[in-house]
Amino acid sequence: YPASWAVDGNITTIASTYPDGSNRWLSIDLGASYDISRIVLWNDDTGSCCYNELLSLEIRVGPYSITSQNEVNSDINKNTLVWLLASSSIGNDAGQSYSVDLYPPVRGRWITIKGSGYYGNSEFLYLKLLFS
């Protein structure tokens, strides 16, 4: 489940941090800075067991690269927090999508998804980006 599958355009593939229980994050370099108006995240559609792995998931957008655990620890809070998934906003259906509309749009080159790890792993499954 390589990280590249998170943005491969195929909703049937998933990316996962499993079994690395201490490093539950995924960072995407857009290659340039964009005004981001919507981020859509799909949860695992392979079963109904794991929807709550996304509890307390946070999504951040900004100019700071997050490519190592050291950068997660030192720089992640420099990027703008655009979404924090609370238990009240999570469904229990496999394959459920979560749409984050950003108004006004947030400018950034990096999108980082970080999980608190409800279980020992957090799966970041499919991320689709729309730009304004």
Side-chain angles (χ1 to χ4, degrees), residues 46-111:
T46 61
S48 60
C49 69
C50 306
Y51 63 92
N52 49 3
E53 289 181 355
L54 301 179
L55 286 174
S56 299
L57 178 85
E58 67 180 65
I59 300 176
R60 292 183 177 267
V61 173
Y64 296 98
S65 67
I66 306 296
T67 59
S68 70
Q69 187 62 38
N70 287 340
E71 289 174 350
V72 169
N73 296 335
S74 64
D75 294 335
I76 195 169
N77 291 332
K78 293 178 182 177
N79 290 332
T80 303
L81 177 65
V82 296
W83 196 53
L84 180 64
L85 182 61
S87 60
S88 61
S89 62
I90 193 169
N92 60 1
D93 294 329
Q96 181 172 345
S97 66
Y98 301 93
S99 182
V100 182
D101 292 314
L102 307 177
Y103 186 80
V106 176
R107 189 145 188 92
R109 176 177 175 155
W110 292 86
I111 296 176

Side-chain angles (χ1 to χ4, degrees), residues 92-131:
N92 60 1
D93 294 329
Q96 181 172 345
S97 66
Y98 301 93
S99 182
V100 182
D101 292 314
L102 307 177
Y103 186 80
V106 176
R107 189 145 188 92
R109 176 177 175 155
W110 292 86
I111 296 176
T112 302
I113 305 165
K114 182 176 180 282
S116 68
Y118 182 82
Y119 293 117
N121 65 315
S122 293
E123 292 183 2
F124 308 113
L125 305 166
Y126 180 73
L127 185 65
K128 183 176 183 178
L129 307 173
L130 304 174
F131 307 107

